[in-house]
Amino acid sequence: MSRTSVLTLLLAGPLQSWGASSRFTRRSTESAPTKSAVIGLLAAAAGIDRDDDTHLAPLAALRFGVRIDQPGTRIRDFHKAMQPVTEKTMPLSERFYLADAVFVAAVEGDHTLLTRLHQALRTPVYPPFLGRRSCPPSRPVDLGLHEDARLADILEHVPWQAAAWYRRHHRSALPNQLTVLREKHTDEDAAGDTLPDQPVSFSPARRRHTLRTVVTTFVAGPTASTMHPQQAVHHDPFDALPVLPEDENV
């Protein structure tokens, strides 16, 4: 029997956007990271091509959950684009984002696969983004690999990851509980919500998702005795990429 481990990710940035059912000129965001986006982030880090459904399948089969450590604020932006060949102006679109949010995401599955994905996060083929390419992370995404672990236990015990300014603002009234959104077990009776968020293919020509069931639970919030002090970390999401040689003719 293969070992089951849990890979945790820290998703923090000035802007994030996690669309599950956006269409046409209105691009919404969910209140927390979607499975399809996080699996896409891992696939990109591992260098899996968008058309490679075979190598995507084991990643899509991982169990997924996310804890909301800092909910953020929903904001709206407007985008205007032009077709580069015909110079035709495209319809004005609305784009929604989460500002100043922090999440702990986790995937559970085969230890060997998660070990490879953990290494990919440290040396990604393609840089990670928080739902859209315009949303780079402000802190390292890799939060650690937990061997012989279960997703629910890890999301309960990983230290609170809220930003330093958010901690200071709430130091006199720490949250009593943190919300966890996790995939429903196949043999679980708990009611849940369905989202068109189970990735099947990321191919631009035939992108496909199926429904998955999400269960909402809660874990104990931080206390003054359990909070770990945050260390200031310099983070540039492009540091992990190889440096290209300079073109002397430029």
Side-chain angles (χ1 to χ4, degrees), residues 129-244:
F129 296 104
L130 306 180
R132 292 190 186 137
R133 292 181 184 177
S134 59
C135 303
S138 59
R139 290 154 65 182
V141 172
D142 170 32
L143 200 54
L145 177 63
H146 306 264
E147 300 183 26
D148 300 318
R150 294 295 178 183
L151 183 142
D153 295 334
I154 295 302
L155 288 177
E156 180 179 358
H157 294 107
V158 167
W160 194 39
Q161 298 296 317
W165 68 266
Y166 189 87
R167 294 173 181 229
R168 289 193 301 270
H169 185 72
H170 291 83
R171 62 179 177 270
S172 60
L174 294 172
N176 294 324
Q177 58 186 16
L178 302 176
T179 301
V180 171
L181 307 173
R182 59 169 179 79
E183 280 190 290
K184 182 179 177 179
H185 287 285
T186 54
D187 58 350
E188 190 175 8
D189 293 332
D193 300 317
T194 56
L195 283 176
D197 182 40
Q198 175 63 37
V200 176
S201 175
F202 288 140
S203 171
R206 47 183 171 80
R207 182 174 299 190
R208 289 182 294 143
H209 298 79
T210 58
L211 295 175
R212 70 182 184 93
T213 303
V214 180
V215 175
T216 301
T217 60
F218 301 93
V219 298
T223 64
S225 61
T226 61
M227 281 199 303
H228 291 243
Q230 277 193 337
Q231 301 294 326
V233 178
H234 165 75
H235 175 61
D236 184 335
F238 296 100
D239 281 346
L241 298 180
V243 178
L244 297 176

Side-chain angles (χ1 to χ4, degrees), residues 7 45-46 113-124 142 145:
L7 178 63
L113 171 60
L114 292 184
T115 299
R116 293 200 302 267
L117 293 176
H118 186 216
Q119 182 59 34
L121 282 180
R122 293 169 174 242
T123 56
D142 170 32
L145 177 63

Side-chain angles (χ1 to χ4, degrees), residues 65-138:
V66 61
R67 191 182 74 195
I68 303 175
D69 283 23
Q70 186 174 318
T73 303
R74 193 182 302 265
I75 62 173
R76 179 174 62 173
D77 190 19
F78 294 95
H79 282 227
K80 184 178 180 181
M82 179 179 292
Q83 215 286 338
V85 177
T86 64
E87 296 187 353
K88 178 183 177 181
T89 301
M90 306 301 290
L92 185 69
S93 63
E94 293 179 283
R95 307 291 176 101
F96 291 83
Y97 299 87
L98 295 176
D100 296 325
V102 178
F103 305 98
V104 174
V107 287
E108 176 189 288
D110 176 69
H111 175 74
T112 301
L113 171 60
L114 292 184
T115 299
R116 293 200 302 267
L117 293 176
H118 186 216
Q119 182 59 34
L121 282 180
R122 293 169 174 242
T123 56
V125 176
Y126 302 107
F129 296 104
L130 306 180
R132 292 190 186 137
R133 292 181 184 177
S134 59
C135 303
S138 59

Side-chain angles (χ1 to χ4, degrees), residues 10-26:
L10 174 61
L11 305 176
L15 293 176
Q16 306 183 33
S17 189
W18 310 103
S21 58
S22 298
R23 289 181 178 274
F24 308 114
T25 60
R26 183 180 174 87

